[in-house]
């Protein structure tokens, strides 16, 4: 029996982790807004799998870094389903460079998508949650936001200063917002993935040598899959986790455990 009738927006859901999360909510019976930026085919395939799994939804093109496009996306979601229950703030990019040669454009693009994009979507979601009937202190949450961050919100990353800065920013955005809206019974949490096999890092997991190097950083000795993140996201947005807010769950096969110390340092 499909018991999840949440309405969920998943940003960057045309591939990778966002696609996995959108499909997992679909399997639970949720209404899923499949946001995409440029890959309409990928978004359509996500939607097909949502429907196959017993969910509903539609695809919606919007750049999360553009305010007017974000506002229209949330308006479309509420005109279709009346309300919003969950935002999965997932869209993200990398533009890698040594620091001394990093262009302002590389810096701005990453900050604009990864940090400002998550701010804009979160703000629209909070406005919708606040407009819901105020829950009593004994009720479950009236809305959930999950920020998809990265282990690089706490692990420094040379050659990726723009990316790590955006993810470090998300950590404090998530926590400060959680504090601000907790009395309104709105829950805000983060999931920080380790290495998950998706398009963003395919040059690593498609290369045997690079995979060998990567495994030195993963005590659990396997690369993660989008489903590893998706299962946590569904649970973290459910009443089963109702007392959790302002927390980050690291889904990383132990990458944040200082793997260099596995042999006694
Ligand atoms: P991905 O490249 O498959 O997915 C990123 C998605 O974001 C794509 O669908 C892309 O189209 C979308 N996107 C990019 N710019 C956008 C914009 N301006 N507006 C809307 N959508 C946009 O990679 P992924 O690994 O699935 O990444 C998803 C999230 O997970 C990102 O935030 C990434 O930083 C994070 N993450 C990934 C890993 C990993 O190892 N794969 C690890 C840690 C964190």
């Amino acid at each position: 029996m499909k018991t999840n009738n949440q309405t969920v927006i998943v940003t960057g859901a045309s591939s990778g982790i966002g696609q996995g999360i959108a499909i997992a909510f679909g399997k639970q019976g949720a209404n899923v807004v499949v946001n995409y930026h440029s890959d309409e085919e990928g978004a359509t395939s996500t939607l097909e799998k949502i429907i196959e799994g017993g969910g509903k939804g539609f695809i919606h093109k919007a750049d999360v870094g553009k305010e007017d496009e974000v506002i229209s996306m949330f308006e479309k979601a509420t005109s279709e389903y009346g309300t919003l229950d969950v935002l999965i703030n997932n869209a993200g990019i990398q533009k890698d460079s040594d620091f001394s040669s990093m262009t302002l454009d590389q810096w701005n693009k990453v900050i604009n998508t990864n940090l400002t994009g998550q701010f804009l979507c979160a703000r629209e979601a909070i406005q919708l949650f606040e407009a819901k009937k105020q829950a009593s202190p004994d009720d479950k949450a009236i809305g959930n936001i999950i920020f998809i961050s990265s282990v690089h919100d706490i692990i420094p990353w040379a050659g990726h200063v723009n990316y790590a800065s955006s993810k470090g920013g998300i950590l404090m955005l998530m926590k400060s917002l959680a504090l601000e809206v907790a009395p309104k019974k709105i829950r805000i949490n983060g999931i920080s993935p380790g290495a998950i096999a998706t398009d963003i890092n395919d040059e690593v997991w498609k290369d045997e040598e690079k995979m060998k190097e990567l495994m030195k950083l993963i005590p659990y000795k396997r690369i993660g899959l989008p489903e590893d993140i998706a299962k946590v996201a569904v649970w973290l947005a459910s009443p089963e986790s109702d007392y959790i807010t302002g927390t980050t769950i690291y889904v990383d096969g132990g990458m944040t455990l200082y793997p260099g110390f596995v042999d006694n340092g």
Side-chain angles (χ1 to χ4, degrees):
M1 197 172 76
K2 309 288 178 191
T3 52
N4 186 328
N5 52 11
Q6 289 172 319
T7 294
V8 187
I9 293 180
V10 184
T11 67
S14 58
S15 62
I17 292 171
Q19 181 172 59
I21 292 175
I23 293 168
F25 273 100
K27 278 192 188 143
Q28 305 279 318
N31 306 317
V32 188
V33 179
V34 178
N35 161 252
Y36 71 100
H37 180 229
S38 48
D39 180 7
E40 186 174 353
E41 208 179 305
T44 304
S45 146
T46 306
L47 182 59
E48 281 167 7
K49 293 196 180 96
I50 288 168
I51 292 166
E52 272 168 32
K56 286 186 284 188
F58 61 89
I59 66 169
H60 187 91
K61 182 175 165 67
D63 179 337
V64 295
K66 295 200 171 133
E67 189 173 26
D68 55 336
E69 295 186 20
V70 168
I71 290 171
S72 306
M73 176 167 69
F74 280 76
E75 282 172 355
K76 179 81 198 316
T78 45
S79 76
E80 199 74 25
Y81 298 119
T83 186
L84 180 75
D85 302 299
V86 181
L87 165 66
I88 307 288
N89 244 340
N90 166 76
I93 54 169
Q94 283 180 222
K95 298 275 173 207
D96 307 332
S97 166
D98 290 343
F99 188 73
S100 58
S101 51
M102 185 176 285
T103 63
L104 181 59
D105 189 54
Q106 286 170 319
W107 172 267
N108 281 341
K109 279 211 168 99
V110 169
I111 298 295
N112 191 55
T113 300
N114 297 10
L115 186 55
T116 308
Q118 295 213 5
F119 154 70
L120 287 171
C121 291
R123 190 190 62 190
E124 295 311 302
I126 293 292
Q127 286 172 7
L128 292 174
F129 297 158
E130 286 178 346
K132 289 187 186 186
K133 197 172 136 298
Q134 186 67 46
S136 84
D138 294 332
D139 284 347
K140 304 279 189 218
I142 55 170
N144 270 281
I145 299 179
I146 297 176
F147 288 85
I148 304 299
S149 180
S150 163
V151 289
H152 296 295
D153 59 11
I154 53 166
I155 301 178
W157 203 12
H160 307 260
V161 167
N162 48 359
Y163 183 82
S165 302
S166 72
K167 296 300 186 177
I170 288 171
L171 184 62
M172 264 304 145
L173 167 57
M174 183 278 289
K175 280 178 178 281
S176 302
L177 177 58
L179 179 62
E180 188 166 323
V181 298
K184 295 175 178 163
K185 306 219 60 112
I186 298 169
R187 296 198 296 124
I188 313 288
N189 289 290
I191 297 176
S192 284
I196 311 296
T198 68
D199 291 351
I200 214 169
N201 53 9
D202 59 355
E203 88 287 356
V204 176
W205 57 267
K206 287 181 177 162
D207 179 308
E208 213 173 305
E209 272 313 300
K210 286 184 179 165
M211 265 301 265
K212 230 192 244 169
E213 283 303 303
L214 178 63
M215 283 306 128
K216 292 180 189 164
L217 299 175
I218 308 176
Y220 202 62
K221 299 298 171 208
R222 76 163 169 87
I223 196 161
L225 300 171
E227 297 78 66
D228 291 312
I229 307 300
K231 286 176 198 159
V232 179
V234 168
W235 175 77
L236 201 49
S238 79
E240 295 296 310
S241 59
D242 192 62
Y243 206 48
I244 300 179
T245 195
T247 291
T248 298
I249 299 183
Y250 289 85
V251 184
D252 67 351
M255 193 178 252
T256 43
L257 296 175
Y258 296 92
F261 285 83
V262 74
D263 291 326
N264 218 3

